[in-house]
Amino acid sequence: MSKDRNVKVSIENLSTAFEIMGSHYKAVDDVTFDLYDGEMFAIVGESGCGKSALALSIMGLHDDSVKIEGSINYKEKDLNKMNKEERRKIRGFDFGMIFQEPLTALNPLVRVGEQIKEVLSIHTSLSDSEKNNKVLDLLDEVGIPNKEVVVKKYPHELSGGMRQRIVIAIALACDPDVIIADEPTTALDVTIQAQILKLIDNLRIKQNTSTILITHDLGVVAEVADRVAVMYAGQIVEMGTIDDIFDNPMHPYTISLLRSIPNSDNNNKKLYVIDGIVPSLQNIDRTGCRFSERIKGHDDSIHEENPQLREVEEGHFVRCTCYKEFDIEKSQEV
Amino acid sequence: MYKFILRRLIIILPALFLVSIVVFFTSEALPGDPSMQELMNRPDATIEEIMKIQERYNLDKPPLERYTLWLKGTLKGDLGKSYTFRTDVANLIKEKMFNTFFLGMTSLVIMFSIGIPLGVFSAKYEGSLFDRTVLGYNFFTLSVPSFVLGILMLYYFGYTLGWFPTSGSINPSVYDSGTQIQKLGSRIYHVILPAFTAGILSTTTIIQYLRNEIIKNKGKDYVKTARAKGQTENIIYNTHILRNSFLPISSVLGFYITGIFAGSVITETIFSYPGIGKFFLDAINLRDTPIVTGLVLFMSILTLMGSLISDILIVSVDPRVRID
Amino acid sequence: MLEIKNLSVHFPVRGGILNRVLSVVKAVDDLSIKIEEGEAYGLVGESGCGKTTTGRSIVGLNKITSGSIFYNGDEITSTIKKNNSPIREHIQMIFQDPYSSLNSQKTLYQIVAEPLRNFGNRSEEEIRKRVLEMTLQVGISEDALYKYPHEFSGGQRQRIGIARALTLNPAFIVADEAVSALDVSIQAQVINYMEEMQGKFNLTYLFISHDLNVVKHLCSKIGIMHKGRIVEEGTVEDIFENPQHIYTKKLLSSIPTEHPRDREKVFKFRKEVAKLHKETEHLFYDESGRPYDLKEISPTHKVAIKEVNNV
């Protein structure tokens, strides 16, 4: 599937390090992946795995104290080497972003129509009436009824679902090539979640926008993703098509995660519990397999000394060799 | 909007009524009245003469009747006659009020024109040398009482350097025969020292408020959204962040206005500036109850108006505050 | 064991000059629930449906507009509000956010010991013994007794919250979104733990959640709440295999796909439900949009519907 598609963004050896008490710690550690044309690429992981830091790095939204290494190649240019002004012009125009919390993501003092218009003013030379028309078109596109009324509303006057549609309209305003959605439905009710996911997916298909969907929810992944990367402690531990991940998960972490959510298979059974806790940023052991200490019932020889993300099947990548020996039943018994 | 203002004005009425009762009867409780003064000045005054004075000021009537008489007069704009100056309190206050108002407004202008830029820039360059200098300035203005700064200013700029006048609100000869522009010039010349004293000392709160708000708003999600839109840092700062940061300031602005008037007592006394603050102090010393009552009432109205102004400002700048 | 009869909680919307009550929000509107001993009752609904208010009313954290709450046949509506009422030993609550619900100034020991000090006259020795027992029960080692909440992970904090709720040996637990704020792997741990405790202490749960998967896993009986009312109530099978109310169907259809192969099926189901919603809304809600009263359609299954024969 991936062979006949064009690479839209190619991320190589990307690291994002935060400064804590004078030292830098990598929250994103050597991440490499390609984002294909028009695909829905999900990045899934628990809090603290670095998925949001990765999203902000691609958008260039970290402040200056954050050290970013590696390259983000887009249209034959490395975004990471660009100066601030060049980078700014790409944001909102080529790359749009959808945030988690639609209420706080909007300026409380500005009418929502104006907030959408702001993007058009930055990146286009449209006349005022053209911009107003474009705003109304965008509201149509994100499925907002009574658009003439809604443009004049303030964020607090709209429901959570409507606000998120406004945030999506802002991200879409300049027909970007890439959309990064960071937990776009986490703050919403389930019935709204389904609608918003569908909307993001439909817009992707319609405009052939490559979308990176950041989430902690495997259900959201199962619903819309084409390809999935699973992150743990700053690294991608497994990456493959949606079917690879759900039907043939290989990395112990992916297998464990899938087993720990309540579903129709484990009803009335004990849920699988991953031993230990997610290490905090300063406490990540950066030598060897980062998941090793959370695997029980296996000896350390199953891990690689310097684990690499390898393509084990076509398009299916797994980090470390421990997947070959890992037996979840054995890990649970101990 | 006008409905909201009207409704708020209606709520003020019962509050004013209560204030009038409290003000009247507390100043009633102050010892001394003109008949006693007369007695002190002329120990040989006859009972009849004393009775006559008491009659003139309605002092012979029971307190409740005196209150209704006073209230009726006040509603008509007649605050009674001063014991010491023997003229209408309203007329006496009018002159001083203008002076105090002029001083208050000038110090407000000084306060904002110093406070806002210091607050805005110290927040923008948080942690810089400039920011730390402003912090030091804040400690200074917070810890120096107005009478100390006032006396220092008076001594240095008034007496030692002789740049500014040391008392009064206008040059008497200009007051008598100057043109309008000369009058204004003289007034400004006289107001500068007291206004700076009051203004500089009030900058602390505004700087702190603004700085905290801006720093808080800098980290807000909508700022991230604006960046994700590709907005330039300057516009993000000047429109998104500043607009949200000025919001809480507008809510205390009304109280600043009353604060300026209330705080004028000390400044005006130090600079012998003929405003209501100094007048108020004098009136208390002279046991001139009608003046004290009139001034306290005036300050109360100002406070109520100040809170009304604040409310109107909040409602007009923050769409989240609902009027009904 | 616990019965809620015709509970209504109305929140006034105030405004105007004299702060008059302009209108009321019916957070809970004439709601009745019966929970049997040893049962785990799942109360499910979206934000604003009144499920949290219901839970808080049971433990006396809310003003009740009307209705009554019975515990083992005794009315506790007013007694539960009194601070030292013995009934408080029997009914405890676990909150959503394990961080803000624990006092950050107190150590684990103090937090777990607090209910013991509030009720009954226990000696320091007894309290110590009980605290140790409870913390070991929730899988926290003895050397952590004098740590503060911020030194624990999210899952541990939630388990401390559970330990505190269980120290007095309560029989009834109200758990309000107890696992919603937790990461997947920690959530699994807490769910398992709550199940284990239920077996061990014969606890009765009122489990309030928006997550149907979690409720399905933990509960034996489910009540679906919408607009302050129960719109459908039944066993897990009744609700999941034979949903009747349009809102239940809407919720079920909104659950994210479990496996990518189900996508088409789920999307089709959602479309059907949306269509059905338009066609049959009047059978479930009256003209003012209020859900009808519950009607029994089988011994275990009740639906809020206009006429039973509409089923």
Side-chain angles (χ1 to χ4, degrees):
Chain A
M1 169 167 107
S2 53
K3 276 194 173 154
D4 49 336
R5 287 170 118 182
N6 299 321
V7 173
K8 185 116 261 175
V9 184
S10 171
I11 287 164
E12 280 169 62
N13 309 105
L14 188 73
S15 293
T16 307
F18 291 102
E19 194 188 319
I20 301 168
M21 316 278 275
S23 324
H24 278 85
Y25 295 91
K26 287 179 179 172
V28 177
D29 198 348
D30 198 20
V31 164
T32 300
F33 68 89
D34 288 336
L35 180 68
Y36 296 110
D37 221 2
E39 75 167 337
M40 177 73 79
F41 183 72
I43 299 177
V44 66
E46 296 180 275
S47 49
C49 73
K51 56 189 192 301
S52 284
L54 174 60
L56 294 177
S57 306
I58 300 170
M59 281 301 285
L61 287 175
H62 284 297
D63 57 50
D64 297 342
S65 70
V66 180
K67 222 194 278 173
I68 300 171
E69 285 162 357
S71 53
I72 303 160
N73 300 304
Y74 169 72
K75 285 190 177 163
E76 283 150 31
K77 275 185 188 144
D78 181 359
L79 302 189
N80 223 6
K81 290 207 175 71
M82 285 184 172
N83 65 32
K84 278 188 177 173
E85 186 57 16
E86 290 170 317
R87 197 76 192 271
R88 178 186 70 74
K89 285 181 179 153
I90 285 175
R91 281 200 295 270
F93 188 71
D94 297 308
F95 284 66
M97 180 144 187
I98 302 168
F99 295 93
Q100 172 171 354
E101 191 48 79
L103 180 60
T104 54
L106 296 171
N107 188 333
L109 304 184
V110 182
R111 294 176 202 276
V112 293
E114 290 300 315
Q115 303 202 38
I116 302 172
K117 213 166 138 185
E118 188 182 357
V119 203
L120 299 170
S121 305
I122 297 166
H123 298 289
T124 68
S125 49
L126 297 175
S127 72
D128 202 55
S129 63
E130 283 171 326
K131 277 187 263 182
N132 288 338
N133 288 335
K134 174 83 182 164
V135 168
L136 291 176
D137 290 346
L138 283 164
L139 291 183
D140 257 342
E141 228 168 305
V142 295
I144 288 184
N146 301 327
K147 51 187 178 177
E148 283 87 2
V149 182
V150 172
V151 280
K152 295 200 185 75
K153 295 262 187 213
Y154 289 99
H156 71 277
E157 297 173 310
L158 301 174
S159 69
M162 284 297 148
R163 281 181 212 135
Q164 195 58 303
R165 285 171 198 269
I166 299 288
V167 174
I168 294 172
I170 290 173
L172 278 178
C174 297
D175 297 317
D177 279 347
V178 179
I179 292 253
I180 299 175
D182 187 3
E183 301 269 7
T185 58
T186 306
L188 305 173
D189 271 324
V190 271
T191 51
I192 311 295
Q193 163 166 297
Q195 294 167 10
I196 295 289
L197 280 178
K198 190 82 201 150
L199 173 68
I200 294 175
D201 201 33
N202 285 343
L203 292 168
R204 170 187 68 88
I205 296 164
K206 204 169 129 199
Q207 308 186 341
N208 201 35
T209 323
S210 307
T211 305
I212 298 178
L213 177 71
I214 312 267
T215 182
H216 70 282
D217 189 340
L218 283 162
V220 167
V221 175
E223 192 142 337
V224 289
D226 295 327
R227 281 198 311 137
V228 186
V230 180
M231 276 185 85
Y232 182 79
Q235 297 179 318
I236 293 179
V237 292
E238 183 163 3
M239 179 164 71
T241 64
I242 181 84
D243 297 325
D244 290 339
I245 300 296
F246 277 83
D247 291 330
N248 185 23
M250 288 185 178
H251 194 276
Y253 181 61
T254 316
I255 297 169
S256 309
L257 263 190
L258 285 164
R259 282 285 289 270
S260 56
I261 40 173
N263 59 31
S264 41
D265 294 334
N266 58 24
N267 214 4
N268 305 320
K269 280 189 230 153
K270 271 200 128 181
L271 295 172
Y272 178 72
V273 174
I274 305 173
D275 187 50
I277 55 163
V278 177
S280 62
L281 190 51
Q282 296 112 294
N283 297 327
I284 297 174
D285 180 3
R286 289 169 197 275
T287 57
C289 178
R290 296 186 183 180
F291 194 62
S292 63
E293 55 188 85
R294 302 190 66 185
I295 299 175
K296 287 183 290 182
H298 296 80
D299 67 71
D300 284 346
S301 63
I302 62 169
H303 301 288
E304 248 174 289
E305 209 171 292
N306 190 12
Q308 299 295 316
L309 189 65
R310 288 195 192 82
E311 190 163 12
V312 293
E313 297 169 353
E314 197 195 332
H316 191 172
F317 298 79
V318 183
R319 191 177 288 272
C320 193
T321 48
C322 56
Y323 76 93
K324 291 179 187 160
E325 307 293 330
F326 179 72
D327 177 359
I328 190 159
E329 307 305 334
K330 223 164 124 188
S331 182
Q332 191 159 28
E333 276 161 24
V334 180
Chain B
M1 186 71 185
Y2 69 93
K3 254 187 174 171
F4 162 78
I5 298 171
L6 197 75
R7 258 184 292 166
R8 284 299 316 265
L9 281 172
I10 293 168
I11 312 176
I12 284 182
L13 289 179
L16 272 180
F17 179 66
L18 279 175
V19 165
S20 76
I21 293 176
V22 174
V23 166
F24 183 82
F25 288 102
T26 38
S27 52
E28 274 293 297
L30 285 177
D33 67 41
S35 55
M36 292 298 141
Q37 251 171 18
E38 188 71 16
L39 210 57
M40 269 160 66
N41 295 339
R42 295 195 301 124
D44 57 332
T46 61
I47 299 286
E48 283 72 31
E49 280 172 320
I50 297 292
M51 295 274 279
K52 222 170 147 191
I53 292 171
Q54 290 206 333
E55 213 174 306
R56 189 177 339 143
Y57 294 101
N58 290 329
L59 291 169
D60 53 338
K61 300 198 171 70
L64 206 64
E65 203 185 325
R66 280 210 307 278
Y67 170 70
T68 29
L69 278 170
W70 172 78
L71 191 65
K72 268 186 204 157
T74 305
L75 288 177
K76 278 184 258 163
D78 174 15
L79 291 166
K81 278 194 165 40
S82 155
Y83 296 160
T84 30
F85 301 98
R86 309 278 158 108
T87 51
D88 278 351
V89 172
N91 273 337
L92 278 169
I93 298 182
K94 224 185 280 168
E95 265 183 60
K96 324 274 177 203
M97 228 155 69
F98 176 80
N99 285 339
T100 300
F101 189 75
F102 192 67
L103 170 60
M105 284 303 136
T106 319
S107 35
L108 266 186
V109 169
I110 290 168
M111 169 180 123
F112 283 119
S113 45
I114 294 175
I116 290 177
L118 287 188
V120 167
F121 286 106
S122 67
K124 187 164 185 174
Y125 305 109
E126 187 191 347
S128 66
L129 184 67
F130 178 78
D131 184 29
R132 274 174 286 155
T133 315
V134 172
L135 200 71
Y137 165 84
N138 264 346
F139 275 122
F140 172 75
T141 48
L142 199 63
S143 51
V144 174
S146 62
F147 58 86
V148 172
L149 184 70
I151 289 168
L152 285 175
M153 298 266 273
L154 192 65
Y155 178 76
Y156 194 68
F157 294 105
Y159 292 105
T160 314
L161 294 175
W163 290 357
F164 296 100
T166 52
S167 70
S169 67
I170 188 164
N171 191 326
S173 60
V174 174
Y175 184 77
D176 290 336
S177 56
T179 62
Q180 286 299 332
I181 293 173
Q182 281 175 323
K183 278 184 188 168
L184 183 69
S186 178
R187 282 191 192 280
I188 292 175
Y189 185 49
H190 279 80
V191 90
I192 282 179
L193 275 191
F196 255 96
T197 308
I200 281 177
L201 293 183
S202 338
T203 50
T204 327
T205 35
I206 204 143
I207 292 172
Q208 280 303 355
Y209 234 128
L210 204 52
R211 186 177 174 273
N212 290 348
E213 278 301 316
I214 292 171
I215 289 170
K216 198 177 84 193
N217 276 303
K218 268 189 192 169
K220 286 276 170 75
D221 283 353
Y222 66 81
V223 173
K224 217 189 274 166
T225 308
R227 276 198 191 109
K229 285 176 181 175
Q231 189 57 278
T232 60
E233 286 302 313
N234 272 336
I235 297 179
I236 291 174
Y237 199 79
N238 295 337
T239 59
H240 290 283
I241 297 177
L242 284 191
R243 237 186 114 182
N244 278 283
S245 306
F246 275 112
L247 207 66
I249 290 196
S250 54
S251 67
V252 290
L253 188 70
F255 295 101
Y256 274 128
I257 295 171
T258 36
I260 287 287
F261 280 92
S264 65
V265 177
I266 296 168
T267 334
E268 288 176 6
T269 312
I270 294 167
F271 290 95
S272 313
Y273 187 86
I276 51 169
K278 186 175 180 305
F279 193 51
F280 184 61
L281 216 61
D282 293 342
I284 292 177
N285 285 330
L286 292 168
R287 303 277 182 274
D288 199 333
T289 322
I291 294 180
V292 174
T293 327
L295 283 175
V296 173
L297 192 69
F298 169 69
M299 302 259 200
S300 313
I301 294 172
L302 256 167
T303 310
L304 290 170
M305 292 314 264
S307 81
L308 177 66
I309 291 171
S310 288
D311 285 359
I312 293 171
L313 277 170
I314 297 170
V315 169
S316 47
V317 292
D318 192 342
R320 284 164 299 183
V321 179
R322 286 178 44 196
I323 310 183
D324 43 32
Chain C
M1 171 148 192
L2 188 104
E3 194 178 358
I4 302 173
K5 270 190 187 161
N6 309 102
L7 177 74
S8 288
V9 181
H10 297 177
F11 292 118
V13 178
R14 287 176 186 280
I17 301 174
L18 301 166
N19 212 17
R20 281 168 305 147
V21 177
L22 295 177
S23 61
V24 288
V25 173
K26 293 182 177 174
V28 181
D29 183 7
D30 194 19
L31 172 138
S32 300
I33 295 176
K34 213 171 177 173
I35 303 170
E36 308 289 343
E37 189 167 344
E39 186 174 68
Y41 187 105
L43 194 57
V44 183
E46 293 183 282
S47 54
C49 74
K51 56 188 195 297
T52 294
T53 311
T54 306
R56 290 171 60 91
S57 300
I58 294 171
V59 294
L61 291 171
N62 262 123
K63 225 177 178 174
I64 291 172
T65 309
S66 65
S68 31
I69 297 160
F70 294 89
Y71 181 75
N72 285 333
D74 302 324
E75 178 158 4
I76 58 161
T77 324
S78 52
T79 45
I80 189 80
K81 288 186 183 154
K82 296 194 185 100
N83 256 338
N84 287 309
S85 151
I87 192 69
R88 281 215 170 172
E89 289 187 49
H90 300 284
I91 303 179
Q92 288 287 330
M93 186 153 179
I94 301 169
F95 297 91
Q96 171 171 6
D97 180 353
Y99 200 79
S100 61
S101 64
L102 299 179
N103 186 339
S104 60
Q105 308 291 314
K106 287 186 174 172
T107 62
L108 163 61
Y109 183 86
Q110 287 169 309
I111 288 167
V112 180
E114 196 183 2
L116 294 167
R117 294 188 205 282
N118 290 347
F119 293 95
N121 296 312
R122 292 178 180 81
S123 69
E124 203 52 38
E125 188 52 42
E126 283 173 296
I127 290 177
R128 201 185 155 73
K129 232 179 98 193
R130 181 74 184 144
V131 170
L132 235 121
E133 193 185 348
M134 283 323 297
T135 43
L136 291 180
Q137 280 288 355
V138 296
I140 290 169
S141 67
E142 204 183 326
D143 48 281
L145 273 181
Y146 299 101
K147 284 188 179 172
Y148 290 90
H150 69 264
E151 295 173 83
F152 295 98
S153 70
Q156 284 173 320
R157 281 197 291 261
Q158 194 56 294
R159 281 184 287 161
I160 294 169
I162 294 172
R164 177 183 59 179
L166 294 182
T167 41
L168 288 168
N169 262 329
F172 189 85
I173 298 276
V174 179
D176 185 9
E177 300 277 13
V179 298
S180 305
L182 306 174
D183 261 322
V184 185
S185 64
I186 300 161
Q187 180 178 311
Q189 191 183 351
V190 176
I191 290 174
N192 283 350
Y193 180 71
M194 287 184 73
E195 251 175 342
E196 204 179 296
M197 291 295 120
Q198 188 188 14
K200 219 179 235 171
F201 298 109
N202 191 33
L203 293 172
T204 307
Y205 282 127
L206 174 64
F207 195 85
I208 299 167
S209 178
H210 71 278
D211 189 331
L212 273 161
N213 283 335
V214 171
V215 168
K216 186 183 180 185
H217 191 90
L218 258 172
C219 300
S220 44
K221 203 170 172 191
I222 295 173
I224 306 286
M225 229 179 139
H226 190 218
K227 298 187 176 180
R229 314 204 75 197
I230 301 271
V231 295
E232 185 159 2
E233 184 182 73
T235 61
V236 171
E237 290 71 38
D238 290 335
I239 299 291
F240 280 84
E241 309 303 331
N242 186 25
Q244 290 301 324
H245 198 279
I246 188 65
Y247 183 71
T248 312
K249 288 180 187 169
K250 200 175 160 193
L251 273 186
L252 289 174
S253 71
S254 303
I255 302 175
T257 325
E258 207 168 271
H259 193 283
R261 79 172 94 81
D262 306 329
R263 274 183 200 173
E264 287 314 310
K265 208 170 77 195
V266 171
F267 294 161
K268 219 179 120 209
F269 181 36
R270 277 182 203 157
K271 266 200 189 125
E272 281 168 17
V273 171
K275 195 168 154 245
L276 201 65
H277 192 272
K278 277 191 194 118
E279 288 165 2
T280 62
E281 200 178 2
H282 62 283
L283 301 174
F284 302 100
Y285 300 93
D286 66 15
E287 289 82 13
S288 64
R290 185 176 189 256
Y292 286 109
D293 290 332
L294 284 176
K295 303 201 171 58
E296 202 167 275
I297 60 164
S298 88
T300 56
H301 197 173
K302 289 177 194 164
V303 187
I305 197 164
K306 198 173 177 184
E307 311 277 352
V308 177
N309 50 17
N310 284 335
V311 173

